[in-house]
Amino acid sequence: MSLFIGIDFGTSGARIAVIDAQAQLLTQVSYPFGKPTDWISTWQAGLFTLLGEIPAELRRDVGAIAINGTSSTVLLCDIRGNPIAPPLLYNDASAATELETLRQFFARQPDGSAPCKDTVLSATSSLVKLLWWKRQPFFSQAKYLLHQADWLGFLLHGQLGISDYHNSLKLGYDVKQLAYPAWMEPLGILPLLPEVKEPGRVIAPIKVEIALQFGFPQTCQICAGTTDSIAAFLASGASSPGEAVTSLGSTLVLKLLSTRAVENNAYGIYSHRLGNLWLVGGASNTGGAVLQQFFTAAELESLSAQIPVEQESPLDYYPLLQPGDRFPVNDPHLSPRLLPRPEDPVQFLHGLLESMARIEARGYRLLQELGASPMIHVYTAGGGAKNTAWTAIRSRHLGVPVTPSPHTEAAYGTALLALNGIPK
């Protein structure tokens, strides 16, 4: 029997999931990061600790392994794959000084000659980080720019300079043409950029010494990885145009599978390639963090059970922790709207959940107005998926079936990638 492993490297820890050929979850294990002072050692320890936590009787049947990492977390490595500087994490904006340089570079290009520029024009994009590294004295030692998932995969298969087109999107890779665009050549960084493969595509067998150490078959294949957010989408099982996943975490994140790509920098909308389809996404600053400002977890549960979900709340809020949103309203100065606040906490919570559902519905309408496929089903991930009152309210606004994702762990989605590759 062949088994398949997915490993998720998130922001606070790593997880591993093992599934069988029928996608049944057999085991999963977590590894918290704590407060690392050395990310490289932490990641390496996490990877090998998790592999060792898999029961030996499962390890000997593993056929393939895939890894996801946080988008735009990158390392600069020497010819042997050793990092020559601390990694720059997904949210590290220390390279922001290069953003204006990149904007000026694009301004000198002829109109239409710089596809993908909107995905890299961010203070935290992989490309901006690489351009900042280019100015550092140690850059002369650099041979490879690798994403977190690329480097962790290298530890298992030993092949340097290989990535996937999910991680490489914010490096400037053109996922429509499946090539680095011509405008990147004058930047003088092409020799460092990884070869890009389809996520889930086999790269190489596991290194013999790793197989012997952990008892994996030497035929076990290491596959190209993905990002943590894409892995969480894959975990839902959504694979048809019009299927969507809403993540109700601290913020509200929408992802809609579409036959057409949608790009709109004003709203922060861009599309990841999923085989022959496109995953169109947008994110609002509303979400669970606002609810936690007013209610404990116990209060949310008890008060939600008292909401008359079939009735629409007349309260019209725009729940934010601080001013500003980009999607579905693009206004960096948008003020939180949380008044009037009724004395009855049930009415107040009803108004908050109703207003967030309106924002979600407006977001999906915007994605479709901009060209994404018509929505047919919404799966829900994140802590809010457990709130049945919120689900009922959202169903009323969205007008399509709304169900919890059968699986929400990114590690499970990455294991599916090792099993099936990208849905076609």
Side-chain angles (χ1 to χ4, degrees):
M1 167 171 85
S2 283
L3 305 180
F4 303 88
I5 288 177
I7 309 175
D8 163 43
F9 274 77
T11 56
S12 59
R15 289 182 176 87
I16 195 165
V18 183
I19 64 173
D20 63 19
Q22 287 72 47
Q24 295 298 308
L25 179 64
L26 302 181
T27 189
Q28 60 182 6
V29 184
S30 298
Y31 179 90
F33 290 155
K35 297 181 178 180
T37 56
D38 180 350
W39 281 107
I40 296 300
S41 296
T42 298
W43 294 338
Q44 193 163 354
L47 175 63
F48 292 122
T49 299
L50 288 173
L51 291 177
E53 289 288 329
I54 300 170
E57 65 271 18
L58 298 183
R59 291 201 296 265
R60 59 174 172 256
D61 288 327
V62 172
I65 300 173
I67 302 175
N68 79 65
T70 49
S71 178
S72 291
T73 293
V74 287
L75 304 90
L76 201 59
C77 298
D78 65 17
I79 197 167
R80 294 181 179 83
N82 299 313
I84 62 174
L88 294 178
L89 303 188
Y90 70 101
N91 59 351
D92 190 323
S94 58
T97 51
E98 292 302 314
L99 193 54
E100 185 56 35
T101 302
L102 193 57
R103 286 198 184 99
Q104 292 175 7
F105 170 81
F106 284 130
R108 296 191 296 269
Q109 307 305 308
D111 288 344
S113 68
C116 320
K117 70 175 184 179
D118 287 343
T119 58
V120 299
L121 280 174
S122 162
T124 59
S125 78
S126 303
L127 180 60
V128 166
K129 290 169 180 169
L130 178 53
L131 294 176
W132 181 79
W133 265 329
K134 189 181 177 186
R135 296 184 185 273
Q136 309 310 310
F138 52 76
F139 186 77
S140 59
Q141 306 169 46
K143 181 66 176 179
Y144 299 101
L145 183 284
L146 297 177
H147 303 93
Q148 180 186 31
D150 308 338
W151 185 76
L152 291 165
F154 153 71
L155 295 182
L156 298 184
H157 57 62
Q159 307 295 311
L160 278 163
I162 300 176
S163 188
D164 63 87
Y165 60 55
H166 290 161
N167 275 293
S168 300
L169 181 71
K170 295 179 182 178
L171 188 55
Y173 187 77
D174 188 336
V175 294
K176 293 181 180 178
Q177 301 300 320
L178 296 178
Y180 288 108
W183 60 259
M184 296 187 73
E185 188 169 352
L187 296 175
I189 55 172
L190 287 181
L192 281 77
L193 302 187
E195 174 189 354
V196 178
K197 293 184 177 292
E198 181 179 56
R201 184 66 59 88
V202 168
I203 295 175
I206 194 168
K207 291 162 65 175
V208 173
E209 57 267 34
I210 300 294
L212 293 175
Q213 178 182 353
F214 291 99
F216 292 117
Q218 294 186 25
T219 55
C220 174
Q221 303 293 318
I222 310 302
C223 304
T226 183
T227 65
D228 55 349
S229 63
I230 301 294
F233 178 89
L234 295 174
S236 73
S239 60
S240 299
E243 292 187 311
V245 173
T246 296
S247 179
L248 298 175
S250 298
T251 59
L252 177 71
V253 182
L254 314 185
K255 293 184 183 294
L256 174 60
L257 202 53
S258 173
T259 57
R260 292 181 56 192
V262 176
E263 311 288 341
N264 190 298
N265 194 43
Y267 293 100
I269 298 169
Y270 58 88
S271 298
H272 272 286
R273 186 173 190 138
L274 275 179
N276 297 321
L277 299 175
W278 300 92
L279 190 55
V280 183
S284 171
N285 292 332
T286 195
V290 180
L291 298 177
Q292 292 171 359
Q293 188 179 31
F294 298 105
F295 305 101
T296 65
E299 288 170 339
L300 282 172
E301 184 176 355
S302 63
L303 296 173
S304 294
Q306 303 173 55
I307 293 174
V309 295
E310 71 283 353
Q311 299 175 17
E312 183 163 359
S313 170
L315 297 169
D316 182 22
Y317 299 141
Y318 203 105
L320 298 170
L321 287 179
Q322 57 191 26
D325 206 2
R326 192 172 184 184
F327 173 88
V329 176
N330 180 22
D331 182 355
H333 307 294
L334 181 68
S335 295
R337 193 165 67 245
L338 294 163
L339 296 173
R341 179 172 177 175
E343 292 185 7
D344 183 352
V346 174
Q347 292 182 19
F348 182 46
L349 178 58
H350 188 184
L352 290 172
L353 296 182
E354 192 90 41
S355 298
M356 290 180 185
R358 293 186 191 113
I359 293 169
E360 180 184 3
R362 183 173 178 178
Y364 278 122
R365 282 197 304 272
L366 177 60
L367 295 180
Q368 293 167 91
E369 288 166 3
L370 293 172
S373 293
M375 185 170 63
I376 60 173
H377 193 126
V378 174
Y379 296 94
T380 311
K386 301 173 185 176
N387 190 314
T388 55
W390 199 357
T391 299
I393 294 169
R394 293 170 53 234
S395 299
R396 177 159 42 80
H397 282 276
L398 294 171
V400 299
V402 178
T403 56
S405 291
H407 295 277
T408 59
E409 292 287 355
Y412 178 84
T414 310
L416 289 180
L417 193 63
L419 169 61
N420 298 317
I422 287 294
K424 300 295 189 288

